[in-house]
Amino acid sequence: MSLHTLLPRPLDPETGPESPAILTALLSGIHLDRRQARALGWRGVRPSALHGPAWTCRVAPLPHIFGLVFLDECTQEDSLHGTFAAYVFPAAQDALLDSFPLRALEIALGPDYTDAVRELSAHAEALAPFCLGQVDLAAARDGSWLSLALSAPARLRLVSRGGVPVPPEAPGAAVQGAPQWLVPPGGLECDVPAFRLLVRLFAALAGTAARLLDAEPDVRLHHTAPAPPDEAAAHGEDRQLHLSASFGSAPRAAPAPGKRLASLPGRYVPRPDELSCLPVMHVLTGFLGSGKTTFLRRWLDFLNGRERYASVIQNEFGQVGLDAALTRSETRVEALDEGCVCCTLADALRPGLQRLLADAPAEQVILETTGLANPGNVLRSLDDLAEFVQPGLVITVVDSLEWHRGGYATQGVSGVRLSQVQQADVIIANKADTLAEKDFEDILRTLRACNAKACILPAVQGNIAFARLDAFLADWQDARTRPPSRQPRLPTLAQARGALGTHADEGFASHTLPMQAPVDENALRRMLDAAGPGLCRAKGIVDLLHAGGVVPAVVQYAAGQLEFEAAPQDEDARYLVFIGIDLAPREAVATARGGAVAASPAA
């Protein structure tokens, strides 16, 4: 083996510590291949370097956040040796936190806990109660060997000789003058299974080295003697465990290196689907004008920024594909127009997916359905695509403003809107900023009543905390099951007869109008009014008369709101698509448009 496969340059500790560079190469190297990283147990790594090299990460199957902070490096003539403090950060509500020192509990319940963990490098000293052991990294300066070692107590115990009393202001602090104790004198203030917690992190690190160096490690385990009596009385520690993984011709330490193990303990065992090369396919739904495409663009920015490329299949209810034009950038987009993928276009999905995967292999495929698609029908179509994709999430975007104006929080919701919410694994409650706090809370309660299993995330202009979406996806994958949308359900009578509701049942239709002449905002509003009260959605690209000039603009209309944004430069078509129920005939809408334009002085 050779370290040059990780770090293609000579090690030169005279210019600065090299052990952080080696660790960085390990972590970044494996995360260039997300599938390999997941198979090794990694669920995300975040560097933190404000006050020196540090990292936070998650490792399956544990829910905790791990931390590594570079402490020091020493060099010898032919080798270097670096030391990293190893932390474990349970969630504030995790019962494991009860076994940590009281100071750790106090920090975890404070308002700045999450931010401090994220910026571990700057807060390592303050977070010392969460430090459970250390990781040592040693390497030959010529790159011929590498050694990783974990040192941690089997159980980290702290004896409180004087005890910890209940604060005087707390209820029941004293009974008839006798103090009450959080920890009685001589009792254990903490009792953490330090080694067992950290071994998962170490196994992921050593497994990564084995994969990237293409070498099996020599794994050894030994323990050192208990602490001296005076220290044991204070700490209650019985032994310190040491686990090492060596690659290449690493020299053995004295005394004896310990018992040789056949494999790394704590190593994550991936499921067959995690070893599969098939991408995960998500279904993105949401009623007309809810903001699906805006959300999708934000999501793609998040994924592309982390080199986790996704491909998109977009299906629109109409003859012209605006959403695909707005989404194309770094992303390969396959457009399926002139129908709905849950109805007439089911047969087009297979060849469209084949073209997409042939042109742009991706980790994830996102199917954005029309605003009128019933996810139940879509999932039936996806059952026939198991040779191409693995099942992913059903994500439904909800227009909170439309739900409020439609009275769905008080009067209930039905039809395709209800199906989209009931079938979702994740519900994006979009346009949260358009409602008063109380009204938005009513919407969230209604969504929860419709679907108690879904993860509900508030959004403003399609923006959410995408790390939460990532974590939700990883959690159900780690649970070794399918998401709720793919679980068997007791069908309704209509479903048992083979009929799931579609937009055709509700009378939805679309009309596409060419827009050769420029038009101003007032003219557009009159056109929308002329389309009839059943208009749910309008969108397209027009030449907009604005400030004495003509600007190509994307028109977006839903829930009574008309918005504009700059049109893609390579789009020459000019049109408007109207979608709704009982729309005015095309001639009437065209007449209204023509009269409005003629009345405009600028036209």
Side-chain angles (χ1 to χ4, degrees):
M1 64 129 270
S2 173
L3 276 179
H4 297 308
T5 59
L6 283 180
L7 213 58
R9 62 172 178 78
L11 295 178
D12 185 9
E14 280 75 21
T15 61
E18 289 283 29
S19 46
I22 296 173
L23 190 57
T24 298
L26 281 172
L27 296 176
S28 60
I30 198 62
H31 279 82
L32 292 176
D33 187 333
R34 285 275 300 174
R35 189 171 286 108
Q36 281 198 25
R38 282 196 61 82
L40 287 167
W42 294 109
R43 295 299 179 265
V45 173
R46 184 180 189 277
S48 171
L50 287 176
H51 290 195
W55 301 261
T56 52
C57 57
R58 291 184 65 225
V59 177
L62 299 180
H64 327 305
I65 294 175
F66 293 93
L68 288 169
V69 177
F70 174 64
L71 299 178
D72 195 12
E73 180 177 281
C74 64
T75 61
Q76 298 177 0
E77 183 178 350
D78 58 354
S79 62
L80 59 89
H81 302 261
T83 303
F84 301 81
Y87 295 71
V88 176
F89 301 105
Q93 65 274 16
D94 195 325
L96 175 65
L97 198 58
D98 294 339
S99 64
F100 275 65
L102 291 176
R103 177 56 184 154
L105 179 62
E106 181 182 355
I107 294 171
L109 296 178
D112 302 324
Y113 177 52
T114 301
D115 291 338
V117 171
R118 284 177 60 85
E119 299 299 340
L120 175 59
S121 174
H123 302 281
E125 186 175 347
L127 294 171
F130 297 93
C131 183
L132 302 185
Q134 73 178 39
V135 171
D136 297 300
L137 182 154
R141 296 180 66 166
D142 64 4
S144 61
W145 58 265
L146 172 71
S147 177
L148 298 169
L150 167 68
S151 299
R155 303 197 69 86
L156 178 62
R157 296 187 173 108
L158 180 63
V159 176
S160 179
R161 291 172 174 171
V164 180
V166 174
E169 64 275 10
V175 177
Q176 297 180 348
Q180 299 299 300
W181 302 96
L182 290 174
V183 179
L188 286 175
E189 181 184 330
C190 76
D191 184 8
V192 188
F195 184 84
R196 181 167 58 84
L197 290 174
L198 289 174
V199 76
R200 293 284 186 177
L201 171 63
F202 183 78
L205 282 172
T208 296
R211 180 68 57 86
L212 295 181
L213 295 172
D214 193 22
E216 284 301 312
D218 178 24
V219 182
R220 307 268 176 156
L221 176 68
H222 68 285
H223 67 269
T224 53
D230 56 335
E231 293 185 21
H235 296 282
E237 297 174 8
D238 52 351
R239 56 180 179 160
Q240 191 90 354
L241 296 177
H242 306 272
L243 177 65
S244 64
S246 303
F247 305 86
S249 54
R252 299 295 171 207
K259 179 181 178 181
R260 175 176 286 168
L261 304 182
S263 61
L264 275 167
R267 193 162 184 173
Y268 180 70
V269 179
R271 305 186 311 276
D273 61 284
E274 290 181 294
L275 299 175
S276 169
C277 294
L278 299 181
V280 173
M281 187 172 194
H282 306 294
V283 178
L284 177 59
T285 74
F287 198 72
L288 299 164
S290 60
K292 293 187 302 301
T293 303
T294 301
F295 167 78
L296 175 59
R297 290 157 69 184
R298 306 284 189 267
W299 190 11
L300 292 173
D301 287 343
F302 173 82
L303 294 173
N304 291 337
R306 287 154 181 79
E307 297 185 350
R308 294 164 50 197
Y309 299 115
S311 296
V312 173
I313 296 179
Q314 284 186 315
N315 178 215
E316 296 193 58
F317 187 69
Q319 298 176 345
V320 184
L322 171 63
D323 294 346
L326 296 180
T327 306
R328 289 188 181 100
S329 55
E330 301 178 50
T331 304
R332 173 72 170 85
V333 179
E334 179 74 22
L336 304 180
D337 302 322
E338 298 191 70
C340 175
V341 77
C342 81
C343 307
T344 60
L345 280 184
D347 292 337
L349 187 55
R350 172 181 283 264
L353 180 60
Q354 287 177 301
R355 288 193 300 270
L356 189 71
L357 296 178
D359 291 347
E363 176 188 332
Q364 301 179 69
V365 176
I366 303 168
L367 169 61
E368 182 188 2
T369 69
T370 76
L372 300 172
N374 186 323
N377 291 324
V378 176
L379 293 179
R380 285 185 174 182
S381 299
L382 297 186
D383 288 341
D384 298 328
L385 300 176
E387 61 190 286
F388 301 114
V389 290
Q390 302 179 66
L393 301 173
V394 174
I395 302 172
T396 296
V397 182
V398 168
D399 184 341
S400 301
L401 179 61
E402 190 223 6
W403 276 53
H404 174 65
R405 289 180 172 175
Y408 303 141
T410 55
Q411 302 171 23
V413 63
S414 60
V416 171
R417 288 182 182 86
L418 179 60
S419 297
Q420 290 174 344
V421 170
Q422 288 179 330
Q423 194 73 42
D425 302 304
V426 178
I427 300 173
I428 308 298
N430 200 21
K431 306 182 185 179
D433 57 326
T434 63
L435 298 179
E437 183 176 351
K438 177 184 179 302
D439 294 331
F440 186 65
E441 290 297 328
D442 290 341
I443 298 297
L444 295 181
R445 278 193 292 272
T446 303
L447 294 173
R448 178 60 63 205
C450 293
N451 187 336
K453 294 183 178 180
C455 172
I456 301 178
L457 301 174
V460 175
Q461 297 181 345
N463 274 312
I464 64 167
F466 284 99
R468 291 185 61 188
L469 180 60
D470 256 10
F472 180 79
L473 175 62
D475 286 345
W476 72 255
Q477 288 178 324
D478 289 341
R480 300 175 182 252
T481 184
R482 290 185 163 210
S485 63
R486 309 301 180 98
Q487 297 294 335
R489 301 184 182 193
L490 185 65
T492 64
L493 183 59
Q495 292 170 340
R497 291 172 177 166
L500 286 174
T502 71
H503 52 79
D505 302 328
E506 301 181 40
F508 283 98
S510 72
H511 296 281
T512 302
L513 296 174
M515 297 288 293
Q516 290 91 351
V519 62
D520 65 11
E521 182 176 343
N522 290 332
L524 283 170
R525 292 188 181 278
R526 286 191 287 270
M527 292 173 62
L528 296 172
D529 291 340
L535 179 66
C536 295
R537 179 81 163 100
K539 58 184 178 179
I541 300 178
V542 303
D543 289 321
L544 183 66
L545 293 165
H546 178 71
V550 178
V551 180
V554 173
V555 178
Q556 301 278 13
Y557 172 82
Q561 288 191 314
L562 178 62
E563 298 177 348
F564 304 95
E565 63 177 288
Q569 294 182 355
D570 56 350
E571 288 296 317
D572 298 325
R574 299 292 183 264
Y575 57 89
L576 276 179
V577 180
F578 296 83
I579 305 174
I581 301 173
D582 297 327
L583 296 177
R586 180 181 304 198
E587 294 79 10
V589 178
T591 300
R593 183 201 59 156
V597 173
S600 171

